[in-house]
Amino acid sequence: EIGELCLQSAQCKSGCCHRANGLSLARCAPKAAEFQDCSPKSIYGVYYKCPCERGLTCDADKTIVGSITNSNFGVCKDPQDSYRR
């Protein structure tokens, strides 16, 4: 359930075990909605930013530097939007 302590994302109904920073306890959190910050991948099954809701893509910096510095966050976008333009 949202708000419950977790060790990995598989324990959460939402599929996102989230921690605000390296020192905080991880808790289940809802997936990121459109235009919210997101993370394309997790570190040991715990996210600093949750992945996007189903149907949205996380438009993020996927470079190796981004994953090492933990700054490879992006913004959830609807992939359909780019087709409509």
Side-chain angles (χ1 to χ4, degrees), residues 39-53:
S39 179
K41 64 180 186 183
S42 69
I43 296 152
Y44 309 116
V46 175
Y47 293 92
Y48 285 101
K49 304 270 185 218
C50 286
C52 301
E53 291 173 345

Side-chain angles (χ1 to χ4, degrees), residues 24-66:
S24 62
L25 292 170
R27 295 182 182 274
C28 293
K31 286 207 164 146
E34 193 169 12
F35 308 120
Q36 287 188 324
D37 287 344
C38 57
S39 179
K41 64 180 186 183
S42 69
I43 296 152
Y44 309 116
V46 175
Y47 293 92
Y48 285 101
K49 304 270 185 218
C50 286
C52 301
E53 291 173 345
R54 187 183 305 245
L56 300 177
T57 58
C58 189
D59 192 16
D61 172 15
K62 293 185 178 69
T63 62
I64 190 73
V65 173

Side-chain angles (χ1 to χ4, degrees), residues 5-32:
L5 292 174
C6 53
L7 295 173
Q8 56 191 31
S9 292
Q11 294 174 295
C12 302
K13 280 185 181 174
S14 66
C16 179
C17 185
H18 171 269
R19 69 172 47 182
N21 57 54
L23 302 175
S24 62
L25 292 170
R27 295 182 182 274
C28 293
K31 286 207 164 146

